[in-house]
Every structure is written in C-alpha cells, then in structure tokens.
C-alpha cells in the first residue's frame, strides 16, 4: 500500500513542495521560507495544477506575514500587499490562485486590532483550511463522479488533474480513483500532454503508484482509440470555469471535447467550486497563459526544432459549455445549461 501523495504541506513553519519538474525520475521535496521563492516555484511549475497553485500561494502569504518585520498592523498589511501582488503575477489562467489570495487578504484585513502574532497565526490556519477543504472537495467530487462511470469503463484523461495538481486525491483523477476503488475501471488512457508532458510524467506516475490500470498514448492517438470504440468517457480537470460553463483547461482539452462529441463519447469536467469564476460571463474573457517557446522547441535538453522557428505556445484552451456533458463538483454533478 502506498502512502497518499501530498504535493503541498506545511511543516515546522515552512512550506514543503514536491518538486514536480523532476518527476517521474526523482522524488524531491523542497522547503520554502520566503514568499518570493514560492512565487518562483509556481512560475516554473515546481508546483502546478489549479488547486495546488492556490494552496501553495495561500501558504506563501502566510510566509510573507511570518517573515515581515512590521510592528504595526498597517505595516504588516503593506508587506502582505507586496506578496499578494507578487504571487498573483505568477500565472494568469487558474482562478484558484486569485480565489485563494482574496481569501487570505480578507482574513488578514478582518484581523485588524488583534496582536500581530495572532494575525500571523490566523493566516497559517486559513491556508491550512484551504488545503483541507480542497482535499475534502476532491474526495466528494470523486465519489459523485464515480456514479457516472459504467462497469469495465475505459476512460480517457488529459494533463494531470490528480493528487499532484491539488491538495491530494485529485479532481479528474479523483473520479478515476473513486471508480477504481469500486472496481469499475478497466483502463485509463493517459494522454502524454505535449509540450510539458504532465500526462506521461505525472498522471502515469500516479497510476503506477496506485495500481490504476492505464495505457499511455501520444496526444495524437486519442482520435484513433475513440474511432475504435475503446473510450467510454473522457474526464478532465479545469483551470477556470466561466459563469456559462465554458471551461479553460490544459491545451489540447478542446480538441478532445470535439473528438468526444464526434464519436458520441460523454465529455466530463471535474473541478471544485474554487475553480468557478462567476465574474466572467463566458470563456472568451478567460486569460490564457502563453509559455516559453523552448517548451515546444525542446524535449528535455534535446532540440526538436530550429532555434529560429517562431512558436505559439498557449498553455490552455477553452472548451465551450455546449461540449460538456456534466461538470462534476463537490456539491454534485451539474448538467447543462450551466449558470454560475
Ligand atoms: O500548466 P498546469 O500543469 O498547471 O496545468 C494544469 C491543468 O491544466 C490541469 O488539468 C488543471 O489544473 C486541473 S488540475 C486539478
């Protein structure tokens, strides 16, 4: 029996992150004492996945309060505002980051008048609550989603929406874990997920660790396995869901949803409510991160394209709500039309 995967945790007044850049080759935990280093870890994908980013950033704010030499509440708030701004500038698409930072700001502001040590302790407590709530949400949505999975199911997933992308257990992979525990998973098709390979590096690693029957495919193979009738459902995570249900997720998700519709396969999104952004009417307003050209021009240190080739490297795409059969949340399975 393997122990639960805990990609983000608080220990001895420090943040501990499992460095996901090194997986599957090396399992290395790094210890963080400064918010600036947490911001760097988020930006460079040492920690990634929408809910995990939110949890890590919340602890980053707690670290900023801990390190601050301020002796007045206003001085502490000024230091926190610098950290909140810095952490918010790391990645633009996953709304869980901004949701968690807003929550930390509100808790700090509400503590005006209390001793500064109590303010600091309150921020650690809130970050831990965000982590604990995410874990509970994943388990709940995993169980709701498992009810959608037929016996002997062949499921396809994209990117990593597993324990590594969250406080633990996972969203899309949480559904798979719960269905697997009920003996319903015959096979999980794992898209490798170019260019950063979260599918092959991270989801496959989780499957091996937990004994989930799986088969890795290059992204371009998804159409063929659907055409052969070997996929019963697709389930992915989400980075931001707009008020109408349009969903941003890892680049390539939209293509899968189109393929699923063509082949009559249900396409599900699994996400906690912290991923829903009711302030955005539709997916057209979701900011899409563009990442370094080298992610596309290299595989590891191996060049796979000339350095002179211009690259377009969006990290996410938007799947229209009309292609989503259901959104699986901790409050239950939501069906269209979506109104958040
Ligand atoms: O760039 P990443 O690795 O942070 O992207 C992650 C994804 O797109 C996941 O599918 C999404 O965050 C859902 S995680 C529960």
């Amino acid at each position: 029996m393997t122990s639960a995967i805990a990609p983000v945790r608080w220990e001895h007044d420090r943040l501990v992150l499992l460095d996901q850049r090194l997986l599957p080759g090396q399992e290395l935990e790094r210890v963080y004492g400064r918010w600036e280093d947490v911001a760097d870890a988020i930006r460079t994908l040492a920690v990634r996945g929408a809910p995990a980013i939110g949890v890590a950033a919340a602890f980053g704010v707690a670290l900023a309060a801990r390190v601050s030499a301020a002796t007045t509440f206003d001085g502490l708030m000024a230091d926190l505002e610098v950290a909140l701004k810095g952490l918010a500038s790391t990645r633009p698409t996953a709304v869980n980051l901004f949701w968690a930072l807003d929550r930390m700001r509100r808790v700090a502001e509400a503590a005006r008048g209390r001793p500064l040590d109590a303010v600091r302790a309150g921020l650690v407590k809130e970050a831990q609550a965000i982590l604990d709530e995410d874990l509970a949400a994943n388990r709940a949505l995993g169980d709701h989603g498992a009810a959608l999975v037929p016996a002997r199911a062949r499921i396809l997933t994209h990117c990593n929406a597993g324990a590594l992308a969250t406080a633990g257990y996972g969203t899309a992979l949480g559904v798979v874990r719960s269905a697997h525990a009920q003996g319903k998973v015959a096979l999980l098709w794992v898209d490798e997920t170019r260019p950063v390979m979260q599918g092959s590096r991270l989801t496959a690693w989780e499957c091996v660790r937990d004994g989930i029957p799986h088969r890795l495919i290059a992204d371009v193979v998804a159409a063929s396995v659907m055409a052969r009738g070997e996929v019963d459902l697709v389930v992915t995570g989400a980075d931001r869901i707009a008020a109408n249900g349009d969903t941003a997720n890892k680049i390539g998700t939209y293509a899968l949803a189109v393929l699923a519709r063509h082949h009559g396969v249900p396409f599900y999104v699994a996400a906690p409510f912290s991923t829903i952004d009711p302030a955005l009417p539709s997916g057209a307003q979701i900011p899409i991160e563009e990442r370094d050209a080298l992610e596309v021009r290299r595989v590891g240190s191996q060049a796979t394209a000339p350095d002179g080739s211009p690259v377009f490297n969006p990290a996410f795409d938007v799947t229209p709500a009309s292609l989503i059969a259901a959104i699986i949340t901790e409050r239950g399975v939501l069906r269209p039309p979506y109104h958040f």
Side-chain angles (χ1 to χ4, degrees):
M1 182 69 191
T2 49
S3 63
I5 300 165
V8 185
R9 61 197 172 83
W10 183 254
E11 198 174 279
H12 305 309
D13 290 333
R14 295 280 189 274
L15 178 64
V16 182
L17 298 177
L18 177 61
D19 190 340
Q20 300 189 33
R21 297 167 299 194
L22 304 177
L23 290 172
Q26 203 185 341
E27 286 178 43
L28 180 80
E29 287 190 327
R30 295 188 195 276
V31 180
Y32 295 83
R34 300 169 63 242
W35 75 263
E36 292 91 336
D37 296 329
V38 177
D40 193 55
I42 295 172
R43 197 176 291 110
T44 59
L45 310 184
V47 58
R48 35 63 53 202
I53 293 170
V55 174
F59 280 116
V61 177
L63 286 174
R66 226 186 139 265
V67 167
S68 167
T71 53
T72 64
F73 182 81
D74 286 333
L76 180 62
M77 277 314 292
D79 286 344
L80 288 186
E81 282 304 334
V82 173
L84 287 160
K85 199 162 166 237
L87 288 159
S89 71
T90 51
R91 299 194 70 190
T93 302
V95 77
N96 311 62
L97 171 66
F98 310 102
W99 170 87
L101 293 175
D102 283 349
R103 201 166 143 171
M104 295 300 283
R105 178 186 281 112
R106 280 200 304 276
V107 164
E109 280 167 350
R112 179 181 287 279
R114 299 187 63 202
L116 294 192
D117 280 351
V119 180
R120 293 183 171 102
L123 288 169
V124 174
K125 198 166 154 224
E126 189 68 10
Q128 186 63 46
I130 291 172
L131 186 155
D132 294 341
E133 288 166 24
D134 186 61
L135 200 50
N138 292 336
R139 288 196 176 274
L141 73 84
D143 290 347
H144 291 307
L148 300 171
V149 176
R152 294 183 299 282
R154 289 126 346 138
I155 306 173
L156 189 145
T157 194
H158 190 66
C159 192
N160 173 265
L164 290 167
T166 62
Y169 202 68
T171 55
L173 207 52
V175 172
V176 174
R177 277 199 166 89
S178 292
H180 177 57
Q182 295 169 12
K184 294 202 283 192
V185 178
L187 182 68
L188 179 67
W189 295 106
V190 177
D191 270 6
E192 65 179 353
T193 316
R194 276 281 288 152
V196 179
M197 307 292 206
Q198 290 94 333
S200 56
R201 291 191 305 104
L202 307 177
T203 299
W205 178 80
E206 290 195 35
C207 288
V208 168
R209 220 168 168 274
D210 283 6
I212 298 170
H214 66 290
R215 206 157 174 196
L216 191 58
I217 49 173
D219 301 328
V220 287
V221 178
S224 297
V225 289
M226 282 193 211
R228 287 154 53 124
E230 293 183 31
V231 179
D232 300 305
L233 64 123
V234 178
V235 60
T236 73
D239 287 84
R240 192 184 301 224
I241 300 173
N244 70 346
D246 290 352
T247 294
N249 192 53
K250 180 53 56 194
I251 190 72
T253 302
Y254 172 42
L256 276 181
V258 172
L259 284 175
R261 172 60 54 88
H262 181 77
H263 292 96
V265 171
F267 176 89
Y268 299 118
V269 167
F273 262 75
S274 56
T275 303
I276 296 168
D277 185 355
L280 299 187
S282 79
Q285 292 87 37
I286 298 176
I288 300 294
E289 175 182 13
E290 280 185 42
R291 294 189 63 87
D292 199 308
L294 284 181
E295 287 182 353
V296 179
R297 289 204 205 104
R298 303 261 189 284
V299 172
S301 56
Q302 174 71 44
T304 55
D307 278 341
S309 284
V311 166
F312 176 46
N313 185 21
F316 303 96
D317 57 26
V318 175
T319 299
S322 58
L323 296 178
I324 302 172
I327 299 179
I328 303 161
T329 75
E330 68 273 37
R331 299 182 200 168
V333 174
L334 311 179
R335 297 280 184 178
Y338 308 106
H339 297 293
F340 296 112

